[in-house]
Amino acid sequence: MFRFSDLMRPVSKELEFRKEGYYVWCGSMFRYQDRYYLAYSRWKKEYGFEGWVSHSEIALARADSLLGAFTPIGKILPFGEEEDWDHDVAHNPTVIRYGDTFYLYHMANSGNGEFWNHRNHQRIAVAWAKDPEGPWQKAKEPVIDISPEGVDSLMTSNPTAAVTPDGKVLMVYKAVSKYGEMPKGGAVVCAAATAPHPLGPFQKYHEAIMANPEHAWSVEDPFIWYEKDRFYALVKDFQGYFTGAEKGSTALFTSLDGKDWQPTEHPLAYSRVLDYGTCKMPVENLERPQLYIEDGVPKLLLCAVRVHPEDDDTFNIRIPLGKGEEA
């Protein structure tokens, strides 16, 4: 089994993407015709770093080459009427292509402005378009709602999806149960569901597929993909339980069927360190992993970065991936 960190190449300042006046966070990169697009989360700095839960929106940027500079285009989500369940927030974008259509899964919510109220109203939504520059349509209801009981009975968020070899869609997502001291609720785990089409209906597995047996706050921020004969997942390891490294490091899991997931032989995918070639810089956050995959080969790792906990500078970075002399 390969070491994911062996694929990672040094980064440069030119691969950092920012938007003036905004916190920039998670981003999903994809290609349409001869251009590259980034669907990313942003929220105004006036709301503070925790403002993602109540004021985040998803915007689009465009580049002319794989490592070219991204130019912001504008906001995609949320949109709709004030009474819509998802009118306040859009966050955690992840984009897949199915046929000739792009499907953008994301977390959405509405609330009263209080952190935990918004957090506990998080559900997974979907929007779609044939051209990334619009128009976009959206589903009226959550594509992954909470369950009456079980691991996702309080909230669902952090979606990631992959098309399976038989043409179905596998989704892995963050789930929190209602069985715990409120407002936090119960264990933070990853769950999964499958559907015959990107718009559903999704059939849940109704159990945690990744969970730390020693701590309720276990894993989140999954990204899944299918390569050769199996699925892989990058996932934030809150406690470093699976990676054997520091808290917040990223673990690599694998699965043959999308339901039974296990850490790989080398479970530490990477630590919270950015390699700039001439120096290695530890950072406070290196999370929300997303891969840009072309012709079945992962080319880039995209991550949300906050260097210092007191700093309001955040950005999304593209980390080149390669094997041997490839980059």
Side-chain angles (χ1 to χ4, degrees):
M1 186 66 66
F2 70 96
R3 295 180 188 270
F4 186 87
S5 58
D6 288 346
L7 304 179
M8 298 170 65
R9 299 292 177 256
V11 299
S12 65
K13 291 291 183 180
E14 289 73 23
L15 298 179
E16 301 173 357
F17 174 69
R18 293 173 172 82
K19 171 68 175 172
E20 186 176 357
Y22 288 84
Y23 292 99
V24 168
W25 205 239
C26 37
S28 182
M29 185 174 167
F30 55 101
R31 185 175 182 176
Y32 176 63
Q33 296 180 348
D34 60 348
R35 288 178 167 176
Y36 297 83
Y37 289 88
L38 180 71
Y40 67 98
S41 296
R42 69 182 190 186
W43 62 100
K44 292 181 179 179
K45 289 188 175 180
E46 64 190 74
Y47 299 120
F49 184 69
E50 299 296 336
W52 65 270
V53 77
S54 54
H55 291 86
S56 179
E57 60 188 25
I58 294 173
L60 194 68
R62 182 180 61 217
D64 292 329
S65 63
L66 187 67
L67 301 179
F70 277 114
T71 300
I73 297 175
K75 171 184 166 181
I76 300 176
L77 295 161
F79 64 83
E81 304 300 324
E82 187 173 349
E83 62 269 19
D84 291 349
W85 72 272
D86 56 352
H87 77 271
D88 281 353
V89 172
H91 195 65
N92 300 146
T94 188
V95 178
I96 66 168
R97 185 166 189 167
Y98 194 94
D100 63 351
T101 304
F102 294 99
Y103 294 87
L104 193 167
Y105 298 105
H106 60 285
M107 176 274 280
N109 74 64
S110 60
N112 64 8
E114 192 271 331
F115 182 93
W116 290 104
N117 180 271
H118 280 272
R119 186 264 202 175
N120 292 341
H121 280 96
Q122 291 176 7
R123 307 290 186 268
I124 296 171
V126 62
W128 62 93
K130 294 186 181 297
D131 184 330
E133 299 191 36
W136 287 85
Q137 303 178 66
K138 68 168 186 171
K140 293 183 179 180
E141 302 295 335
V143 70
I144 299 284
D145 207 338
I146 60 172
S147 301
E149 305 292 337
V151 297
D152 63 354
S153 52
L154 181 61
M155 56 80 76
T156 61
S157 67
N158 288 183
T160 178
V163 179
T164 65
D166 59 358
K168 297 180 180 179
V169 177
L170 171 68
M171 182 178 291
V172 173
Y173 59 99
K174 175 182 176 179
V176 180
S177 78
K178 60 185 179 182
Y179 311 113
E181 184 178 353
M182 297 300 288
K184 291 184 178 181
V188 177
V189 300
C190 280
T194 58
H197 185 272
L199 296 181
F202 278 89
Q203 181 68 39
K204 297 178 181 180
Y205 292 153
H206 293 294
E207 60 185 31
I209 60 167
M210 301 173 198
N212 180 346
E214 298 180 356
H215 201 287
W217 286 71
S218 52
V219 292
E220 68 170 6
D221 291 353
F223 177 84
I224 63 169
W225 75 103
Y226 190 85
E227 189 173 351
K228 294 182 180 178
D229 62 346
R230 65 192 63 215
F231 295 97
Y232 291 96
L234 294 169
V235 60
K236 177 181 175 180
D237 185 354
F238 273 112
Q239 314 304 326
Y241 172 83
F242 298 105
T243 64
E246 80 273 18
K247 292 184 176 181
S249 51
T250 298
L252 181 65
F253 279 71
T254 190
S255 173
L256 292 174
D257 60 4
K259 185 176 182 179
D260 179 21
W261 290 85
Q262 299 295 329
T264 63
E265 182 181 354
H266 305 290
L268 176 60
Y270 54 88
S271 297
R272 294 184 288 108
V273 176
L274 284 176
D275 182 359
Y276 283 90
T278 57
C279 68
K280 294 186 178 182
M281 183 173 68
V283 297
E284 179 69 14
N285 300 88
L286 185 63
E287 55 188 58
R288 291 296 300 153
Q290 296 269 319
L291 296 182
Y292 171 74
I293 299 173
E294 196 168 273
D295 299 325
V297 179
K299 295 290 187 179
L300 298 171
L301 167 67
L302 292 89
C303 291
V305 180
R306 182 170 62 149
V307 178
H308 301 293
E310 297 84 14
D311 197 342
D312 70 353
D313 178 37
T314 66
F315 54 91
N316 193 272
I317 193 161
R318 282 170 285 176
I319 302 172
L321 301 176
K323 295 181 180 179
E325 296 302 317
E326 300 177 6

